[in-house]
Amino acid sequence: MFELAACRDILADLVAFPTVSSESNLPVIAYIADRLADVGARVEIFTDETGTKANLFASLGPEIAGGLMLSGHTDVVPVDEHMWMSDPFELTERDGRFYGRGACDMKGFIACCLARREELAALAEKRPIHFAFTHDEEVGCIGAKALVEHLKDREMRPGLAIVGEPTLMRVIEGHKGCCEYTVTFTGRSGHSSAPDAGVNAVEYAARYIARLMELRDGLKQRTPVGSRYDPPYATLNVGGLEGGMSHNVIAPRAVLKWETRPVVAEDLGYVKQEIAEYCRTRLLPEMRRHTPEAGIETEVIGEAAALFPKNANSARDLAFALTGENRADVVPFGTEAGFFQEIGMDAVVCGPGSIDQAHKPDEFISAEQLSQCLTMLDRLGEHWA
């Protein structure tokens, strides 16, 4: 119980940092850095171009290639305090559960890592152990994408990664990607009684959406043989459309938000190529026939890489040994693990808490789940030397 109490106290500290993605995460990064430095970790902090967000990468043990990286994100989703039974940024314990924004997703895993930092430092005497804690996972894995740019050309980058997203300590070897886009349509305003005198941005956005829906059906036809996902095919969703001013005014501007979750890399290529070709050959020529300044601009909000199951995956095998599991699964939600796989690391997702609690009012993680994660880190001593 004493060991769990130490973890709980660290979790309380972490939850108290209101690291909603719209706010800075520098204070929590400084907190984590101090605790890792206390056990001799070599800590690097990489700030973004705004200077308000940062990734942390820290290493214990010899400066050699390989080693295990324990990874998580520090940001959390927004809260509606009126829907919470308690202060979302003050850890509250009720009936063996710890409530607070981010307690499950995913400060519980970070707390476990920090609670075991002394033991991990001892284990890293001959083989390195690394920590990677990022910003802005919840808004497109922006931090992880930047972090791998720092790591990919290093000779001494980690060889394995365990990403501690909440999986109820199940071993996850694969997940879909998550790619989000905002498309802005610019037309020409005018009176609705003379529709040919203007360019209605909302109408062209609607035609763009109709083409997306055709591509969504096409993705179902491209379902990979033996896909283990539910649903087994890549998905596509229109999340929002804003535009127009009044019933009798031609809409000069429209903003569309959509996303797709590819099963394989070719799914994303198919969607992007087809929609770009549709804009180039159909929509844009029609829009610019009378209005040369009309346009369609696409902003990439985030392209989170998929984690692809592999026959040989030493991170998965290590997670089996640490948890006692003998079967790996796949999940439909995305994580940062795919980015680490893309630069040559074996990666797996395994962490405390349930994804069913993430992003909800009264988010919680159970004491039992924290204990299981601490036990997983304790078992590292049997397999790491």
Side-chain angles (χ1 to χ4, degrees):
M1 289 300 294
F2 171 76
E3 293 180 344
L4 181 59
C7 181
R8 177 199 61 206
D9 291 344
I10 293 172
L11 180 57
D13 291 341
L14 295 175
V15 167
F17 293 103
T19 52
V20 176
S21 300
S22 59
E23 305 299 324
S24 174
N25 75 329
L26 296 183
V28 75
I29 288 292
Y31 173 94
I32 295 170
D34 286 345
R35 274 139 193 82
L36 292 176
D38 284 347
V39 294
R42 302 180 297 278
V43 179
E44 299 175 84
I45 295 175
F46 305 105
T47 55
D48 73 348
E49 59 185 14
T50 71
T52 63
K53 302 290 185 73
N55 294 320
L56 178 147
F57 182 75
S59 301
L60 294 165
E63 297 186 48
I64 59 175
L68 170 66
M69 184 175 79
L70 302 171
S71 178
H73 63 82
T74 61
D75 61 316
V76 300
V77 297
V79 300
D80 183 347
E81 296 190 23
H82 297 292
M83 300 183 68
W84 284 69
M85 292 180 61
S86 55
D87 185 339
F89 296 111
E90 180 178 342
L91 195 71
T92 303
E93 184 176 358
R94 298 194 297 271
D95 301 322
R97 296 173 173 178
F98 300 106
Y99 292 83
R101 174 55 87 216
C104 171
D105 184 19
M106 57 179 296
K107 292 178 176 179
F109 178 73
I110 299 174
C112 289
C113 292
L114 295 181
R116 286 292 186 267
R117 63 192 185 279
E118 292 184 4
E119 292 82 357
L120 293 172
L123 289 177
E125 182 178 347
K126 295 183 179 180
R127 297 180 68 191
I129 294 176
H130 311 272
F131 305 88
F133 300 125
T134 61
H135 66 87
D136 289 331
E137 187 270 351
E138 299 289 6
V139 290
C141 294
I142 297 170
K145 192 172 183 178
L147 179 62
V148 297
E149 290 299 313
H150 289 286
L151 298 181
K152 68 180 184 180
D153 295 326
R154 294 188 178 189
E155 293 183 2
M156 294 181 291
R157 68 172 178 265
L160 317 176
I162 295 178
V163 178
E165 288 277 5
T167 68
L168 288 172
M169 298 306 297
R170 293 161 49 230
V171 179
I172 303 301
E173 64 176 347
H175 61 67
K176 297 180 181 181
C178 182
C179 306
E180 300 178 341
Y181 307 94
T182 297
V183 186
T184 301
F185 298 79
T186 303
R188 174 187 286 177
S189 186
H191 197 286
S192 62
S193 64
D196 292 341
V199 175
N200 194 314
V202 170
E203 289 184 11
Y204 282 97
R207 290 174 60 181
Y208 186 106
I209 292 171
R211 180 60 180 143
L212 286 178
M213 296 302 95
E214 293 174 352
L215 295 175
R216 184 170 67 179
D217 291 338
L219 288 170
K220 294 180 181 180
Q221 303 303 315
R222 297 166 62 91
T223 301
V225 176
S227 174
R228 296 155 59 192
Y229 293 99
D230 182 18
Y233 45 81
T235 58
L236 193 154
N237 178 66
V238 174
L241 174 61
E242 302 173 1
M245 302 166 60
S246 179
H247 295 79
N248 59 354
V249 177
I250 297 172
R253 185 174 184 272
V255 178
L256 169 67
K257 300 176 181 179
W258 65 279
E259 60 127 57
T260 184
R261 295 177 182 256
V263 175
V264 294
E266 290 78 11
D267 290 335
L268 180 59
Y270 162 73
V271 172
K272 292 176 72 172
Q273 179 178 337
E274 291 293 326
I275 198 66
E277 183 70 5
Y278 182 65
C279 290
R280 185 184 69 83
T281 62
R282 296 287 299 277
L283 297 187
L284 278 172
E286 293 182 26
M287 294 174 72
R288 290 174 174 170
R289 187 171 300 153
H290 301 295
T291 305
E293 68 271 19
I296 301 173
E297 297 293 332
T298 300
E299 178 187 3
V300 178
I301 303 303
E303 292 183 329
L307 177 65
F308 299 111
K310 300 170 65 176
N311 290 332
N313 184 338
S314 53
R316 175 198 59 207
D317 296 341
L318 176 62
F320 282 162
L322 299 180
T323 62
E325 296 284 318
N326 58 14
R327 179 180 180 275
D329 207 347
V330 299
V331 291
F333 62 84
T335 77
E336 297 173 326
F339 289 102
F340 304 131
Q341 186 183 67
E342 283 188 336
I343 62 170
M345 300 167 61
D346 281 355
V348 72
V349 184
C350 182
S354 169
I355 196 65
D356 291 339
Q357 297 305 318
H359 302 189
K360 293 182 178 179
D362 293 324
E363 176 183 349
F364 71 83
I365 191 168
S366 70
E368 178 186 9
Q369 283 289 300
L370 290 176
S371 294
Q372 287 187 32
C373 187
L374 292 170
T375 298
M376 177 184 77
L377 296 175
D378 290 341
R379 288 177 178 167
L380 192 60
E382 304 169 21
H383 303 279
W384 195 236

